[in-house]
Amino acid sequence: MTESYGKMGMPAFVSTKAGVKGLVDAEITELPRVFHYPPSTLSNNKPSDTSGLNLTVPIIDFGEISNERNIIVSKIKDAAENWGFFQVINHGVPLNVLEDIKQGVRRFHEEDHEVKNKYCSTDVNERFVYNNNIDLLRSSPMNWRDSFVCYIAPDAASPDEIPVACSVLNSISESNLRDAVMRYSKHVMDVGALLFQLLSEALGLNSEILKKMDCLKGLFMLCHYFPPCPQPDLTLGISTHTDNSFLTLLLQDQIGGLQVLHKDYWVDVTPIHGALVVNIGDFMQLITNVKFSSVEHRVRANRDGPRISVACFFSSNLFPNSTVYEPIKELLSDENPAKYRDMTIPEYTAGYLAGGFNGKSHLSKYEIKTCPS
């Protein structure tokens, strides 16, 4: 049986309808070939001597924001310009809310696959969708993960559309997935609103400008389950990509695996208990005219697990949204002309998804080409 799994191609994997977790439940010891990445893609590309390099993702403490707002804005400006990533601590989201959403995500993914498959759908109007083969049209090879998406704004999934996923609750005090999603998403909107204010100030603009541009208009939650991998050196949890969002807030557990490309090196985003990882998305790079950077990142597979992550994307995704985005005029000058043409989010997202996770930013297709003088 293990040998047949090892030779498994994409059609055979899809036919199992059990996702990556189903392979682990089958106690495979050999990674199916559909998950194999070229060795060059998997390279960590880390320097032998890091003594002269700062390869630590910035950590920003919001605990004293009322007294140190200017200092925090300066740190965010530096991180958004030079890293595209930073971690936030003391952000105001209670620890029990963070733990509840992680546990709820895990419980759903550990339900029987017959239960989870009830939420599989190709209907773009569905607000909660489980994908055990999310990469079929986006990535080849496939990534070592199962996922579900839940839409929060502008047209949120109703409570009835979100599964309870409480069949394995250990105590009456534990939260089910439905309650956890509803609570956590409210806190994410609050943290997001503050971050957009601080980013606006970091641009030297009015603190409400990004909010007035409807950067907070859309939000969806993508919740990943990365089972332990028998041969993690052959695959990736998520392949190299940038995010099709204005901003992404990520909650990760303590296992690790997230890496960001910084100065041509893959840098680990080391888990910090209670922290939120923030990264700049493609839309933000476009409207800031590359003042802030949307950078490539990926997730390595692990022997440990399962790893749980909850990524919240400020984007309306493919849902109708006629707002046209272009570089903010206050940031432009004769010396710094617009580097991108305008776009709508559904238009950009459709192209982004069609292109797959190929390690190339879809933003390049929106660059304004200048003729050499």
Side-chain angles (χ1 to χ4, degrees):
M1 181 65 73
T2 297
E3 182 180 357
S4 64
Y5 276 114
K7 295 180 179 179
M8 179 182 285
M10 190 175 294
F13 171 72
V14 175
S15 70
T16 70
K17 297 184 179 180
V20 174
K21 185 178 183 298
L23 299 177
V24 175
D25 291 343
E27 299 182 351
I28 65 166
T29 58
E30 182 181 351
L31 191 72
R33 65 190 179 202
V34 71
F35 293 96
H36 287 212
Y37 276 76
S40 59
T41 305
L42 297 167
S43 171
N44 248 334
N45 192 31
K46 289 186 177 179
S48 55
D49 181 12
T50 61
S51 57
L53 298 170
N54 176 16
L55 296 182
T56 302
V57 174
I59 301 167
I60 302 176
D61 188 346
F62 277 16
E64 294 297 324
I65 193 166
S66 57
N67 299 319
E68 299 180 352
R69 190 179 183 98
N70 289 340
I71 295 174
I72 291 172
V73 167
S74 178
K75 289 180 178 180
I76 287 178
K77 178 177 182 291
D78 182 72
E81 290 178 354
N82 298 310
W83 278 87
F85 264 75
F86 54 95
Q87 298 205 64
V88 176
I89 59 174
N90 295 318
H91 40 66
V93 184
L95 282 175
N96 69 300
V97 173
L98 302 179
E99 292 304 313
D100 282 350
I101 187 64
K102 286 188 291 185
Q103 288 302 315
V105 169
R106 178 170 181 166
R107 283 195 292 269
F108 174 81
H109 281 291
E110 293 181 350
E111 293 269 20
D112 290 339
H113 67 265
E114 292 89 352
V115 175
K116 293 181 290 188
N117 285 340
K118 294 176 183 177
Y119 296 93
C120 287
S121 177
T122 58
D123 185 348
V124 296
N125 294 311
E126 292 288 344
R127 297 304 195 265
F128 184 100
V129 178
Y130 166 62
N131 287 288
N132 59 22
N133 52 16
I134 191 173
D135 303 304
L136 285 180
L137 301 178
R138 299 171 59 180
S139 178
S140 179
M142 292 186 66
N143 293 323
W144 189 256
R145 60 159 175 179
D146 294 330
S147 307
F148 70 77
V149 63
C150 182
Y151 289 92
I152 307 301
D155 298 315
S158 68
D160 289 344
E161 291 177 284
I162 304 172
V164 174
C166 62
S167 61
V168 289
L169 290 180
N170 294 318
S171 73
I172 195 170
S173 63
E174 290 189 37
S175 174
N176 64 55
L177 177 62
R178 181 181 298 166
D179 292 342
V181 166
M182 304 299 285
R183 275 200 302 272
Y184 182 64
S185 61
K186 290 177 182 178
H187 285 285
V188 167
M189 289 296 287
D190 290 342
V191 175
L194 174 58
L195 282 165
F196 279 115
Q197 282 187 342
L198 298 172
L199 287 162
S200 297
E201 294 169 29
L203 291 168
L205 303 173
N206 182 283
S207 63
E208 298 300 312
I209 189 167
L210 294 176
K211 180 180 178 181
K212 290 178 179 178
M213 292 176 66
D214 282 340
C215 296
L216 279 153
K217 184 176 182 178
L219 179 68
F220 67 95
M221 184 183 296
L222 191 55
C223 301
H224 300 303
Y225 182 94
F226 304 88
C229 182
Q231 295 176 298
D233 294 336
L234 298 180
T235 192
L236 288 169
I238 303 179
S239 51
T240 301
H241 66 287
T242 59
D243 287 354
N244 62 321
S245 66
F246 289 103
L247 201 66
T248 304
L249 270 64
L250 175 80
L251 173 64
Q252 61 174 339
D253 63 17
Q254 296 303 111
I255 290 178
L258 176 62
Q259 294 183 317
V260 56
L261 191 63
H262 180 69
K263 297 182 177 178
D264 296 324
Y265 297 126
W266 284 111
V267 178
D268 294 325
V269 184
T270 304
I272 299 172
H273 184 61
L276 292 173
V277 181
V278 180
N279 68 278
I280 301 297
D282 290 353
F283 308 154
M284 185 69 76
Q285 177 168 318
L286 185 147
I287 65 174
T288 64
N289 210 40
V290 201
K291 180 73 171 174
F292 295 160
S293 298
S294 176
V295 299
E296 294 178 351
H297 49 288
R298 68 183 187 182
V299 177
R300 294 189 66 84
N302 283 287
R303 287 192 182 275
D304 298 326
R307 177 181 182 267
I308 305 297
S309 72
V310 181
C312 293
F313 300 85
F314 283 94
S315 166
S316 55
N317 207 21
L318 290 170
F319 289 108
N321 183 352
S322 61
T323 303
V324 175
Y325 289 96
E326 61 185 355
I328 298 170
K329 289 181 170 52
E330 289 88 339
L331 301 178
L332 305 180
S333 65
D334 291 340
E335 296 75 26
N336 183 37
K339 296 179 173 64
Y340 298 103
R341 60 182 176 88
D342 60 26
M343 60 95 187
T344 65
I345 292 177
E347 166 206 350
Y348 185 95
T349 301
Y352 173 94
L353 295 176
F357 281 10
N358 58 10
K360 298 178 182 178
S361 173
H362 188 58
L363 265 179
S364 62
K365 299 186 182 300
Y366 288 79
E367 290 178 358
I368 296 175
K369 308 298 181 183
T370 56
C371 299
S373 56

